[in-house]
Amino acid sequence: MQREQLADFLRRRREVIRPAEVGITDGPRRRTAGLRREEVAMLAGMSVDYVVRLEQGRSSQPSIQLLGALARALRLSDDERDHLFHLAGHQPPPAEGTARLARAGLLRMLDLVGDNPAMVLTELGEVLAQNRMSVLLGGRLTGFTGVRRHVIYRWFTEPEVGAVHRAEEREHHARSLVADLRAVAGRRAGDPEVTGLVERLLAVSAEFRELWAGHEVQVRRSDRKTFMHPRVGPVLMDCETLVTPDLRQQLLVLTPADGEARERLELLRVLGVEEFPVSDTAH
């Protein structure tokens, strides 16, 4: 591990990222052009103290998971991400492993959709990155481990996941999730990650077993969902999915389906600013 080089690289990358690039409001009292340390910590889902120790060359060796989170927070390109791994004493993820690290181009697009909720997912439904409006609308969906990384597994094993949507829409979403997994299983026949996920779902969910037996196949490109938000009420959203050429990652963008949804989303954005203020302390 090259602590001094790693510290210098992280500091320099933090200083060149503009707040607007990652969806953070650049207020008039900001005394630094780049990101603050606490903003990097927030984006990466780690403590400010650990970010400080990394930048001062005093940290223990960061894990692969932490490096992936830092790469997303700092919007590193693929080459910069590999360099980060080398400096930290890890081999960069192999080609098949990069599917679980959000691509730099998709992260940039995530920042460009403005106040529309958006997220980057793998083809198996693991959320790799979310913008702030996505978190405010549907909660934080990153950071899960094991089989719970996959949205479809949580949907069929944790009732509160489906409770985010209207009761009359849940059957449609369940069928769509299963049909999409069928399509992935066809493309990646024999892949242990896919077969393992299917086997776990068959073992734990009678509803999944019934839908899987139906053999419906569908790759979702667009959809409409009602989010039952506890603070602003139901929000009707249109969902558009953009996929990478190899189909391994997706950018999901949600837009208000009508004027009422637009007003409620704007209210949620304002309430979110009040609930999650950004400190004015510069570092």
Side-chain angles (χ1 to χ4, degrees):
M1 176 177 172
Q2 303 175 55
R3 282 188 173 82
E4 291 185 6
Q5 292 295 320
L6 176 63
D8 186 62
F9 179 67
L10 290 174
R11 283 195 305 270
R12 291 179 182 276
R13 289 305 308 156
R14 174 172 63 83
E15 290 167 358
V16 300
I17 297 292
R18 297 295 182 265
E21 295 179 48
V22 294
I24 295 176
T25 302
D26 191 0
R29 297 174 60 185
R30 178 178 291 270
R31 297 192 297 273
T32 180
L35 293 180
R36 303 180 177 112
R37 286 168 173 164
E38 66 263 29
E39 291 168 342
V40 173
M42 176 190 69
L43 292 167
M46 59 184 65
S47 71
V48 179
D49 178 67
Y50 192 70
V51 173
V52 171
R53 285 187 283 122
L54 277 170
E55 290 196 359
Q56 293 177 348
R58 299 186 294 110
S59 72
S60 57
Q61 184 182 34
S63 67
I64 290 175
Q65 291 75 20
L66 283 178
L67 292 173
L70 282 168
R72 291 192 295 270
L74 296 173
R75 301 304 191 251
L76 301 186
S77 68
D78 292 348
D79 291 336
E80 289 170 335
R81 183 196 63 217
D82 289 351
H83 183 62
L84 174 68
F85 273 73
H86 283 304
L87 292 178
H90 290 289
Q91 285 296 315
E96 62 271 17
T98 58
R100 292 190 54 210
L101 293 173
R103 294 184 176 180
L106 292 182
L107 287 173
R108 285 192 290 271
M109 294 177 68
L110 193 69
D111 298 329
L112 292 173
V113 296
D115 288 333
N116 292 303
M119 64 185 77
V120 179
L121 307 92
T122 68
E123 61 180 341
L124 282 178
E126 177 183 357
V127 179
L128 303 178
Q130 296 174 266
N131 64 7
R132 186 165 174 276
M133 283 305 302
S134 171
V135 175
L136 290 176
L137 179 64
R140 188 167 296 280
L141 303 175
T142 57
F144 292 97
T145 59
V147 72
R148 294 185 69 239
R149 300 192 318 268
H150 308 292
V151 171
I152 188 173
Y153 185 84
R154 300 198 305 278
W155 177 279
F156 285 103
T157 60
E158 302 173 18
E160 61 272 19
V161 174
V164 175
H165 303 289
R166 286 189 186 276
E168 58 268 28
E169 296 179 1
R170 291 172 198 161
E171 181 182 356
H172 164 73
H173 294 315
R175 295 174 72 92
S176 295
L177 284 168
V178 175
D180 194 60
L181 180 57
R182 267 289 185 190
V184 177
R187 293 195 302 269
R188 295 170 57 178
D191 187 312
E193 183 181 19
V194 181
T195 56
L197 175 59
V198 172
E199 288 170 359
R200 289 290 298 273
L201 282 164
L202 289 171
V204 300
S205 173
E207 182 186 6
F208 177 83
R209 289 194 295 272
E210 180 180 353
L211 292 173
W212 188 254
H215 218 102
E216 293 184 33
V217 182
Q218 176 191 21
V219 178
R220 284 189 293 176
R221 294 289 183 264
S222 61
D223 205 348
R224 176 167 285 190
K225 300 179 181 180
T226 304
F227 289 82
M228 304 302 295
H229 197 278
R231 302 183 70 188
V232 301
V235 186
L236 184 63
M237 303 293 288
D238 285 324
C239 314
E240 291 293 336
T241 303
L242 306 176
V243 299
T244 55
D246 62 4
L247 304 180
R248 299 301 291 268
Q249 291 191 6
Q250 310 167 352
L251 176 68
L252 174 63
V253 181
L254 308 176
T255 56
D258 55 28
E260 183 179 16
R262 190 173 300 108
E263 291 175 0
R264 293 187 177 188
L265 199 65
E266 174 61 18
L267 175 59
L268 182 59
R269 185 187 68 80
V270 175
L271 291 174
V273 170
E274 295 175 354
E275 185 176 359
F276 303 108
V278 176
S279 169
D280 287 317
T281 303
H283 291 278

